[in-house]
Amino acid sequence: MLYRALRFFLFRLDPERAHGVTQKLLQFCCRGRVAHYYRKRVPDSPRTVMGIQFRNPVGLAAGMDRHGEYTQAFANLGFGFVEVGTVTPKPQAGNPLPRLFRITERESVINRMGFYSKGLEYFLEHVKRPEGDVVLGINIGKNSKTPNQNAIDDYLTCMRGVYLHADYITINISSPNTVGLRELQEHSYLHDLLRALKAQQAELAKRYQRNVPLVVKVAPDLMHDDIKQMADAFLEHKIDGVIATNTSIDREGVAGCQYAEETGGLSGRAITPKSLEVVREFHKILGDDIPIIGLGGIMSGADAKAMIDAGASLVQLYTGLIYRGPVLVREVAECLT
C-alpha cells in the first residue's frame, strides 16, 4: 500500500529522475529498524549454487545500482543476492537523454542507457559488500569506444579490478544498447573471450586462494541454433553460470503502445514468455552442469515459479520491482520456499 502511493508520485517524474530519487529514498529510509522489518518479512530458503550459499533465491538484477553506491540499501529489502553494474574500465556517459521509457499498460520498460558508468576506479571506491549474508555479484562490460577485437582487454581489466569485491562476476555481452556488443555472443568472438576469462579466473584464484565464479548474461533474442552454439561453448570452457535473459529488441509484446518504437532494450511483462523459453532451451542442453539465473518479466511469485520450473536455480528482479515495489521480493521468496 505504501509503495503504491509512492509509485503514484514517482511515475509522475521522468523515469531516470525517478530512479535516482528511489535510490536516495532507499538509502535514507531502508535502514535500522525499517531494514530489519523488511528482511524479517522475507523468508529464508537457503540453497547452494555455483558453490555459493544463498540465503534465498531472489536477487536484484544489474542496472538498478550501476555504480555500486547503494548495495546495502537494496540488500535491506530482503534480497538473497544483489548484482551491481554494469561497470566499464573508463567512465562513459552512456546514450543521450531521454533513454528510459515506461510502458505502463504492459508493465514494461524500454531503456537505452548504454552502459552508463562512472568507471572502474570510481566503482571500486564506492562498492561495499552488503551485510547480512547477502551475496554480491558484479556485472562488467566493455567501453563503447573499444572495438570488439579489443573487447577482451576491457573485460580482463574489469575482472582483475572487481575480483576481490565480488562473490560472482557477470560478463555482459548481451545488452542491445552498446553498438556491436551482441556480436560477442557469436562463435568468432565467444570462444576467444571465454578462454581468456577462464585463464584469468584460474590465475586470480591461485593468487588470492579464492575462486570467484564467472557468469555470462545472454540475450532473449536468440534462435535455437544460437542457443546451442553458446551452450556448447559454455560447457567447453566450464563457465560457472548463465543469466537468462537481458532485455529484448523485439517489440511484439508492446505493439501499438506509446514508446514502442523507441530504440533500446525492452524488459518487464512484455518479455516474460520469451525469457522463459530461452531458459528452457538452455536448460535442455546445460542440464545440471551449469546453473541458470532466470531474469526477464518476473512480475509475480507465479512468474518466478515458472522460471524455476523452466530450469532456473535462482531468479532476479528488475522491472517487476519498479511496478510492484518491495512486496515482490517477499512474494517471490515465499513462492519459492
Side-chain angles (χ1 to χ4, degrees):
M1 185 67 74
L2 178 61
Y3 181 74
R4 227 181 260 177
L6 180 60
R7 197 187 88 166
F8 180 84
F9 164 71
L10 291 172
F11 274 36
R12 273 145 186 78
L13 299 176
D14 167 80
E16 196 163 342
R17 178 171 166 75
H19 183 83
V21 169
T22 301
Q23 289 175 321
K24 296 291 187 186
L25 282 172
L26 270 178
Q27 190 174 51
F28 180 74
C29 298
C30 195
R31 54 186 178 174
R33 291 182 180 178
V34 175
H36 177 73
Y37 167 78
Y38 274 114
R39 288 198 300 265
K40 189 176 179 183
R41 282 164 58 88
V42 177
D44 286 345
S45 179
R47 55 203 68 195
T48 302
V49 180
M50 302 183 294
I52 302 170
Q53 179 78 15
F54 293 81
R55 69 181 187 86
N56 72 53
V58 190
L60 178 74
M64 280 288 183
D65 182 8
R66 298 180 191 92
H67 315 303
E69 299 165 314
Y70 302 99
T71 52
Q72 190 62 55
F74 281 108
N76 287 343
L77 295 180
F79 286 106
F81 63 111
V82 170
E83 185 173 319
V84 296
T86 300
V87 59
T88 57
K90 298 175 183 176
Q92 59 181 33
N95 292 318
L97 300 170
R99 52 193 179 181
L100 194 58
F101 308 89
R102 300 186 198 96
I103 305 179
T104 309
E105 64 269 38
R106 302 289 170 87
E107 292 186 308
S108 298
V109 168
I110 290 174
N111 94 81
R112 52 170 178 261
M113 300 300 293
F115 285 177
Y116 165 41
S117 173
K118 294 181 180 179
L120 181 60
E121 184 178 346
Y122 179 93
F123 184 91
L124 295 177
E125 287 173 358
H126 289 80
V127 70
K128 290 186 177 124
R129 186 178 300 279
E131 300 169 0
D133 299 323
V134 178
V135 171
L136 178 64
I138 299 181
N139 187 301
I140 63 175
K142 78 174 189 73
N143 282 111
S144 58
K145 291 184 179 178
T146 302
N148 281 351
Q149 57 265 35
N150 301 125
I152 289 173
D153 294 334
D154 276 14
Y155 285 101
L156 291 177
T157 296
C158 285
M159 184 177 171
R160 286 191 291 266
V162 306
Y163 192 84
L164 287 178
H165 298 267
D167 291 307
Y168 71 87
I169 297 170
T170 298
I171 313 304
N172 192 343
I173 54 174
S174 54
S175 170
N177 300 318
T178 296
V179 175
L181 184 75
R182 287 189 172 185
E183 291 175 7
L184 297 177
Q185 297 180 128
E186 297 172 5
H187 186 278
S188 55
Y189 291 107
L190 186 62
H191 283 271
D192 288 343
L193 177 62
L194 298 183
R195 189 177 298 111
L197 290 168
K198 288 297 290 186
Q200 182 72 90
Q201 180 193 38
E203 180 185 321
L204 292 169
K206 184 177 180 180
R207 183 188 308 172
Y208 296 116
Q209 295 298 298
R210 178 175 181 264
N211 184 63
V212 178
L214 280 183
V215 177
V216 180
K217 190 168 185 175
V218 303
D221 308 305
L222 298 170
M223 304 299 288
H224 176 77
D225 289 348
D226 299 324
I227 292 172
K228 177 70 167 64
Q229 67 93 7
M230 290 183 75
D232 287 345
F234 297 156
L235 288 166
E236 178 181 339
H237 295 284
K238 296 181 170 56
I239 291 302
D240 301 295
V242 174
I243 296 178
T245 66
N246 212 318
T247 57
S248 176
I249 58 173
D250 185 12
R251 294 296 186 264
E252 183 179 353
V254 291
C257 297
Q258 186 183 16
Y259 304 126
E261 299 308 314
E262 293 287 348
T263 58
L266 176 67
S267 61
R269 174 69 66 198
I271 71 164
T272 306
K274 183 182 283 282
S275 295
L276 278 170
E277 185 56 29
V278 172
V279 169
R280 281 191 202 98
E281 289 294 310
F282 268 105
H283 183 64
K284 283 178 187 174
I285 303 169
L286 301 177
D288 295 328
D289 293 327
I290 298 178
I292 298 169
I293 301 173
L295 167 65
I298 298 177
M299 314 299 286
S300 68
D303 292 332
K305 180 65 164 55
M307 272 291 187
I308 298 297
D309 291 344
S313 300
L314 306 166
V315 297
Q316 286 182 320
L317 309 179
Y318 186 90
T319 306
L321 197 64
I322 295 170
Y323 283 97
R324 297 281 315 280
V327 69
L328 182 60
V329 183
R330 181 176 55 137
E331 181 183 319
V332 169
E334 287 176 344
C335 198
L336 300 184
T337 299

